[in-house]
Amino acid sequence: MKAFNDLADFSSEEIAALLKLASRLDSAPEPAALRGKVLALLFLSPSLRTLASFQAAMTRLGGGAFVISPEMSIHGIETRPGIVMDGAAAEHIREAVPVIASYGDAIGIRAFAERKNLANDLAETEFKALTDLIDTPYINMESALNHPCQSLADWKTMNDLDIPAQGGKFVLSWAYHPKALPFAVPAATVHMAAMRGMDVTVLRPEGFALPDAVMEKAHAAAELSGGSVIETDDRVEAMEGAHVIYAKSWSSARHYGDRIADEKARSELYHWCVDDPWFDNARPDCRFMHCLPVRRGVVVSDKVLDGPRSVVIHEARNRMVVQMAILHQMMGAKA
Amino acid sequence: MKAFNDLADFSSEEIAALLKLASRLDSAPEPAALRGKVLALLFLSPSLRTLASFQAAMTRLGGGAFVISPEMSIHGIETRPGIVMDGAAAEHIREAVPVIASYGDAIGIRAFAERKNLANDLAETEFKALTDLIDTPYINMESALNHPCQSLADWKTMNDLDIPAQGGKFVLSWAYHPKALPFAVPAATVHMAAMRGMDVTVLRPEGFALPDAVMEKAHAAAELSGGSVIETDDRVEAMEGAHVIYAKSWSSARHYGDRIADEKARSELYHWCVDDPWFDNARPDCRFMHCLPVRRGVVVSDKVLDGPRSVVIHEARNRMVVQMAILHQMMGAKA
Amino acid sequence: MKAFNDLADFSSEEIAALLKLASRLDSAPEPAALRGKVLALLFLSPSLRTLASFQAAMTRLGGGAFVISPEMSIHGIETRPGIVMDGAAAEHIREAVPVIASYGDAIGIRAFAERKNLANDLAETEFKALTDLIDTPYINMESALNHPCQSLADWKTMNDLDIPAQGGKFVLSWAYHPKALPFAVPAATVHMAAMRGMDVTVLRPEGFALPDAVMEKAHAAAELSGGSVIETDDRVEAMEGAHVIYAKSWSSARHYGDRIADEKARSELYHWCVDDPWFDNARPDCRFMHCLPVRRGVVVSDKVLDGPRSVVIHEARNRMVVQMAILHQMMGAKA
């Protein structure tokens, strides 16, 4: 495997094989599989779960990881092309990325959306500029529009819990948050659920539709898998018979990069906090999912998050489990 | 071993077995004992020795560790229960701790005393709130009232140096420090020396007696071990025939949580700096111990710290050695 | 090997053996060579390549590393001798270094020049004060006047590229930089190229001659190896027939420690930026070397750095490769 960048790069069979490998490595550890192997971890954006789970995954397979983030460097890392570097930054990303990659058998890269220009972020301009610098196998640890490790973990979590693929109803719901957040998780999630063959409803208030390109990609996945994708702002309709609600806040595409306008657009939407009444017409065993970190009392009530519907810790642990499979495929001995 | 939280949870025989295992692992390394095993390290308070020694211990046993501290997270970690998280913090400790624990076969947690309310700190309210969130085996890397890894290392150091248990005289002395420090080390130390069967004198100025609960626990340990515990503010009496002086500063229990009043109470006590004359009526081979970090010229003179009485580096190295034994017991294969 | 501190401590044969071992470990990994072994990494100055490459090297050999930098400690680390520590710093380097070293089978230390007093820095006063505190084998990860890991990597890079030793022409050129930088890399580099037997030209503007002690050490190495060392401020003369240009900025020895005077001395020298015309009378295959980080458009043009002459990524990767050999010699089983 040369890259783990997007679930869309894999067939359903390949995903199934990865998830099978993940389960096997979880139940039958292979502490010598990657001995002497090195994973470089480059965080251009902050992290907790990703930082911890990748290091843990490498240790469990007998290898190791090292972590680089820009604040470790002498004076930050310059990213602008063609610039005369006579300011604070002493190093350019054009050297930093290939050098860091050269120490690893694979590299994980995290770089959140710039959120200045939607077209650029939809095209993954920044992330591609980084991966174009290297030949080393790489893992997308969250980019402007993707978070494939999270999506693979979420897929596995639904399998673990026997939530049906064909015929399973998956609601991706916008939730309130004081800040305009990126599209990475919602874009990856709607595509993942569609690719899994589920009937997906995107529930969001007026003005917070996902970008067309995101919806088109999800529709294409549904077409292949036999699933479906619809959008609505009607919570009752959305939650009818749902197996899963996956909550996440995201920006308004209309006001992309305009923090003030986005805040205004969401200012009256603080009732979009998932709470018990949301589940009134869902399936009795409807699950609550979230990628974490999650704001209590803002995105979801304490009662739901601490209650039996919540599977957020299971999802988070599965990050480590599926990443073991990715790393094993990427760096392990060929059969 | 499900938890290493307090020496009082173990019998003398169990401590002896741990120390024997520690010595064995130091002289006959077992670099495959914990291969593929992961130690999660969560630091809610700063660290140097603990940070380094736990990572080194895991490597020596063939496993690995990862480190999480709140400043790595996006916007800090919220700890207050029931709060609406619409401020800076994007993650709550109720998710962070179980997630981090889920990546490890064991977790080490450090959380210093809040020092707002003595009863809460004596009851380890904060630390228990964290460990109640998890089923993963855990290690107390310093809490409000305990530092069991330090105490186990100190116990081993005295064994290594043939300082007698029964009949050995151990002086725990208050020392000057510009800041009001927690009770964790003095509380753990007085209990450890008493549990080891030593004749313990707590030497401290008027107003700096250890809390009653701390002294009662030490007395109970002495009763079982055949040791004794007394308190005094008379240095000459305290040091008479001493085998060891263990220096440490701590807060005034009277002014707990009141920084200004505590500073006033200690303002005239800067002569409580361990120096050569303190040893005039001690045993000629009386040792100087301290858990580090130590302020030179404040807690102890350069002459004592750099002289032959000082065993502080030996104590610090023993942190790694005893932690190997704890980790081996906690995560190693059952016999 | 008790220390890797200076290439001058080794014979040419010993260097050749190290480089042979490095190549072997790169092509035939030994993931069990250092299992259970620990490298302590102490950074008193910032790092990216060194931080990453040492951790990667230890993992590849089956051991592990831990990293300590002063900002991890409670309140910084005091370095002044004999001081009463009643200020912010809670720990003295006299404890910190021996403790950190005690957890490792070897320790790497980085401490940049203080740049207050040239004689002190030429004598490596600060670095020796640190290594005098320990018996643990140590590696110089850059000191006031040395960077032996970088030099060994550069030596290997030239071997890899078949750049001749005897008869090879090596130009070490000063370059513009907005800040007064230390002598560590140029001092190590001029000595390394001379020790390799090359004909070395130090190209620098008036006022930026390297300190006499640095040049004398290089001359002594050239005498032994059959190489030569000259200085000039004439670029055309310097570049005539060159195999390699190694660019690096450094301080003016005349104004050492006087930042304002140094800035004034270099204020008109921004044309000292390596660019295509510099290579007009060099060998057609003349290489561009730099230790990184490098300021684009300041030290070297984008065209040269991104062009086929540039071997900077190769040099950086060789840091890991030669460090594997050093670590193997220092901590591996004796034959």
Side-chain angles (χ1 to χ4, degrees):
Chain A
M1 193 192 294
K2 278 295 290 176
F4 186 77
N5 184 46
D6 187 350
L7 294 197
D9 298 337
F10 298 85
S11 68
S12 294
E13 292 71 29
E14 287 169 327
I15 297 292
L18 266 173
L19 293 177
K20 192 175 164 190
L21 175 59
S23 293
R24 193 189 86 202
L25 293 171
D26 195 22
S27 57
E30 295 190 8
L34 297 186
R35 63 185 204 140
K37 298 292 185 185
V38 174
L39 175 66
L41 293 171
L42 175 60
F43 288 96
L44 300 173
S45 308
S47 170
L48 189 147
R49 262 153 295 279
T50 301
L51 182 69
S53 61
F54 268 109
Q55 291 181 80
M58 283 304 292
T59 297
R60 291 188 185 282
L61 297 170
F66 66 85
V67 177
I68 295 292
S69 57
E71 70 272 20
M72 291 175 179
S73 186
I74 300 184
H75 297 291
I77 293 180
E78 178 62 62
T79 56
R80 292 166 290 179
I83 199 160
V84 173
M85 292 172 60
D86 56 1
E91 176 135 38
H92 200 283
I93 200 81
R94 288 183 65 92
E95 279 70 59
V97 170
V99 166
I100 292 164
S102 81
Y103 300 143
D105 298 288
I107 182 170
I109 303 177
R110 165 168 285 198
F112 289 174
E114 290 198 312
R115 277 182 294 155
K116 289 177 185 164
N117 177 301
L118 182 55
N120 278 354
D121 286 349
L122 287 171
E124 296 280 18
T125 307
E126 193 195 5
F127 197 77
K128 279 185 182 145
L130 299 176
T131 56
D132 280 353
L133 295 169
I134 54 172
D135 289 323
T136 312
Y138 69 89
I139 297 169
N140 180 330
M141 302 199 299
E142 190 173 340
S143 62
L145 255 287
N146 227 325
H147 198 350
C149 297
Q150 182 66 48
S151 287
L152 192 61
D154 292 336
W155 190 320
K156 181 173 191 305
T157 302
M158 289 193 283
N159 288 2
D160 293 348
L161 297 168
D162 294 322
I163 294 170
Q166 303 295 332
K169 181 163 181 188
F170 185 98
V171 179
L172 169 65
S173 177
W174 189 88
Y176 182 72
H177 192 286
K179 292 182 181 168
L181 297 188
F183 289 121
V185 169
T189 301
V190 67
H191 174 267
M192 175 276 293
M195 186 177 176
R196 191 168 177 263
M198 300 181 81
D199 295 316
V200 183
T201 301
V202 181
L203 169 63
R204 76 288 179 285
E206 167 63 21
F208 286 86
L210 289 170
D212 290 345
V214 169
M215 293 304 292
E216 284 158 19
K217 183 175 167 185
H219 281 293
E223 195 123 333
L224 269 171
S225 69
S228 65
V229 184
I230 60 167
E231 293 179 271
T232 180
D233 61 1
D234 181 332
R235 185 195 303 164
V236 175
E237 175 196 329
M239 292 298 293
E240 177 68 37
H243 289 80
V244 176
I245 177 170
Y246 195 112
K248 188 77 190 77
S249 196
W250 60 79
S251 303
S252 167
R254 280 186 204 161
H255 303 299
Y256 202 73
D258 182 346
R259 194 172 56 79
I260 305 295
D262 191 296
E263 274 177 24
K264 200 173 161 197
R266 69 179 61 216
S267 62
E268 303 295 318
L269 299 172
Y270 40 78
H271 56 285
W272 283 73
C273 172
V274 180
D275 202 354
D276 266 2
W278 288 46
F279 294 89
D280 283 352
N281 63 332
R283 286 176 52 99
D285 60 353
C286 179
R287 303 291 191 162
F288 175 80
M289 298 180 77
H290 191 283
C291 60
L292 302 184
V294 66
R295 286 171 175 256
R296 290 173 164 259
V298 174
V299 167
V300 58
S301 69
D302 281 14
K303 198 170 168 200
V304 170
L305 192 57
D306 296 331
R309 299 185 184 286
S310 174
V311 298
V312 298
I313 308 298
H314 189 149
E315 288 175 84
R317 182 176 182 279
N318 269 341
R319 289 289 307 277
M320 178 180 73
V321 179
V322 300
Q323 289 162 195
M324 282 199 288
I326 297 163
L327 295 165
H328 195 281
Q329 284 283 302
M330 200 167 256
M331 291 187 266
K334 302 302 171 286
Chain B
M1 194 191 294
K2 277 295 290 178
F4 186 76
N5 184 46
D6 187 349
L7 293 198
D9 298 337
F10 298 86
S11 68
S12 294
E13 292 69 32
E14 286 169 328
I15 298 292
L18 267 173
L19 293 177
K20 192 176 165 190
L21 175 59
S23 293
R24 192 189 87 202
L25 293 171
D26 194 23
S27 58
E30 295 190 9
L34 297 186
R35 63 183 205 144
K37 298 291 185 184
V38 174
L39 175 65
L41 293 172
L42 175 60
F43 288 95
L44 299 174
S45 308
S47 170
L48 189 147
R49 260 154 296 281
T50 301
L51 182 69
S53 61
F54 268 108
Q55 291 180 82
M58 282 304 292
T59 297
R60 291 188 185 283
L61 296 170
F66 66 85
V67 177
I68 295 292
S69 56
E71 70 272 18
M72 291 175 178
S73 185
I74 298 185
H75 296 292
I77 293 180
E78 178 62 62
T79 56
R80 292 167 290 178
I83 199 160
V84 173
M85 292 173 61
D86 56 2
E91 177 136 37
H92 200 282
I93 199 81
R94 287 184 66 94
E95 279 70 58
V97 169
V99 166
I100 293 164
S102 81
Y103 299 143
D105 298 287
I107 182 170
I109 302 178
R110 165 168 286 198
F112 288 174
E114 290 197 312
R115 276 183 293 153
K116 289 178 185 162
N117 177 301
L118 182 56
N120 278 354
D121 285 349
L122 287 170
E124 297 281 19
T125 306
E126 193 194 5
F127 197 76
K128 280 184 182 146
L130 299 175
T131 56
D132 280 352
L133 295 169
I134 55 172
D135 289 322
T136 312
Y138 69 89
I139 297 169
N140 179 330
M141 304 199 298
E142 191 173 340
S143 62
L145 255 286
N146 227 325
H147 199 351
C149 297
Q150 183 66 47
S151 287
L152 192 62
D154 292 337
W155 189 321
K156 181 172 192 304
T157 303
M158 289 193 282
N159 288 1
D160 292 349
L161 297 168
D162 294 321
I163 293 170
Q166 303 295 332
K169 182 164 182 188
F170 185 98
V171 179
L172 170 64
S173 178
W174 189 88
Y176 183 73
H177 192 286
K179 291 183 183 169
L181 297 188
F183 289 122
V185 169
T189 301
V190 67
H191 174 267
M192 175 275 294
M195 186 179 176
R196 191 169 178 260
M198 300 180 81
D199 295 316
V200 183
T201 302
V202 181
L203 169 63
R204 76 290 181 283
E206 167 61 21
F208 285 86
L210 289 169
D212 289 345
V214 169
M215 293 305 291
E216 283 158 21
K217 184 175 167 185
H219 280 295
E223 195 124 331
L224 270 172
S225 70
S228 65
V229 184
I230 59 167
E231 294 180 88
T232 181
D233 61 0
D234 181 331
R235 185 195 305 162
V236 175
E237 176 196 329
M239 291 297 294
E240 177 69 36
H243 289 81
V244 176
I245 178 171
Y246 195 112
K248 188 76 190 76
S249 197
W250 61 79
S251 303
S252 167
R254 279 186 205 161
H255 303 299
Y256 202 72
D258 181 346
R259 195 172 56 79
I260 305 295
D262 191 296
E263 274 177 24
K264 201 173 163 198
R266 69 179 61 216
S267 64
E268 302 295 318
L269 299 172
Y270 40 79
H271 56 286
W272 283 72
C273 173
V274 180
D275 203 355
D276 266 3
W278 288 46
F279 294 88
D280 282 352
N281 63 332
R283 286 178 51 102
D285 60 355
C286 179
R287 303 292 190 162
F288 175 81
M289 298 181 76
H290 191 282
C291 61
L292 302 183
V294 66
R295 286 172 176 255
R296 291 175 164 257
V298 174
V299 166
V300 58
S301 70
D302 281 16
K303 199 170 168 199
V304 169
L305 192 58
D306 296 332
R309 298 186 184 286
S310 174
V311 298
V312 298
I313 307 298
H314 190 148
E315 289 174 83
R317 182 176 183 279
N318 270 341
R319 290 288 306 278
M320 177 180 74
V321 179
V322 300
Q323 289 162 195
M324 283 198 288
I326 297 163
L327 295 164
H328 196 281
Q329 284 282 302
M330 199 167 257
M331 290 186 268
K334 301 303 171 286
Chain C
M1 193 191 295
K2 277 293 290 176
F4 187 76
N5 184 46
D6 187 350
L7 294 198
D9 298 336
F10 298 85
S11 69
S12 295
E13 292 70 30
E14 288 169 327
I15 298 292
L18 267 173
L19 293 177
K20 193 175 163 189
L21 175 59
S23 293
R24 194 190 85 203
L25 293 171
D26 195 22
S27 58
E30 296 191 8
L34 297 186
R35 64 182 205 143
K37 299 291 186 184
V38 174
L39 175 65
L41 294 172
L42 175 60
F43 287 95
L44 299 173
S45 308
S47 170
L48 189 146
R49 264 154 294 281
T50 301
L51 182 70
S53 61
F54 268 108
Q55 291 181 82
M58 282 305 292
T59 297
R60 290 187 184 284
L61 296 171
F66 66 86
V67 177
I68 295 293
S69 56
E71 70 272 17
M72 292 176 179
S73 186
I74 300 184
H75 296 292
I77 293 181
E78 178 62 60
T79 56
R80 292 165 291 179
I83 200 161
V84 173
M85 291 173 61
D86 55 2
E91 176 136 37
H92 199 282
I93 199 81
R94 287 183 66 92
E95 278 70 58
V97 170
V99 166
I100 293 164
S102 81
Y103 300 141
D105 299 287
I107 182 170
I109 302 177
R110 165 168 286 199
F112 288 174
E114 290 197 313
R115 277 182 293 154
K116 289 179 183 161
N117 177 300
L118 182 55
N120 278 353
D121 285 350
L122 288 170
E124 296 280 19
T125 306
E126 193 195 5
F127 197 77
K128 280 184 181 147
L130 299 176
T131 56
D132 280 353
L133 295 169
I134 55 171
D135 288 324
T136 312
Y138 69 89
I139 297 169
N140 180 329
M141 303 199 298
E142 190 170 343
S143 61
L145 254 287
N146 227 324
H147 199 349
C149 297
Q150 182 66 48
S151 287
L152 192 62
D154 292 336
W155 190 321
K156 181 173 191 307
T157 303
M158 290 193 282
N159 288 2
D160 292 349
L161 297 167
D162 294 323
I163 293 169
Q166 303 294 331
K169 182 167 180 186
F170 185 98
V171 179
L172 170 65
S173 178
W174 189 88
Y176 182 73
H177 191 284
K179 291 181 182 170
L181 297 188
F183 290 122
V185 169
T189 302
V190 66
H191 173 267
M192 175 275 294
M195 187 179 175
R196 191 169 178 260
M198 301 181 80
D199 295 317
V200 183
T201 302
V202 181
L203 169 63
R204 76 288 178 283
E206 167 62 20
F208 285 85
L210 289 169
D212 291 345
V214 169
M215 293 303 293
E216 283 157 20
K217 184 176 168 185
H219 281 294
E223 195 123 333
L224 270 172
S225 69
S228 66
V229 184
I230 60 167
E231 293 180 88
T232 180
D233 60 1
D234 180 332
R235 185 195 305 164
V236 176
E237 176 197 327
M239 292 298 293
E240 177 69 38
H243 289 79
V244 176
I245 178 170
Y246 196 111
K248 188 74 190 78
S249 196
W250 60 80
S251 303
S252 166
R254 279 185 204 162
H255 303 300
Y256 201 73
D258 181 346
R259 195 174 55 80
I260 305 296
D262 191 295
E263 275 178 23
K264 200 173 164 198
R266 70 178 60 217
S267 63
E268 302 296 318
L269 299 172
Y270 41 77
H271 55 286
W272 284 73
C273 172
V274 179
D275 202 355
D276 266 4
W278 288 46
F279 294 88
D280 282 352
N281 62 333
R283 287 177 50 102
D285 59 355
C286 179
R287 303 292 190 161
F288 174 81
M289 297 180 77
H290 191 282
C291 60
L292 302 183
V294 66
R295 285 171 176 257
R296 290 174 165 259
V298 174
V299 166
V300 57
S301 70
D302 281 14
K303 199 170 168 199
V304 169
L305 191 58
D306 295 332
R309 298 186 184 285
S310 175
V311 298
V312 299
I313 307 298
H314 189 148
E315 288 175 83
R317 182 175 183 279
N318 270 340
R319 289 289 306 280
M320 177 180 72
V321 179
V322 300
Q323 289 161 194
M324 283 199 287
I326 297 163
L327 295 165
H328 196 281
Q329 284 282 303
M330 201 167 255
M331 290 187 268
K334 302 302 171 289

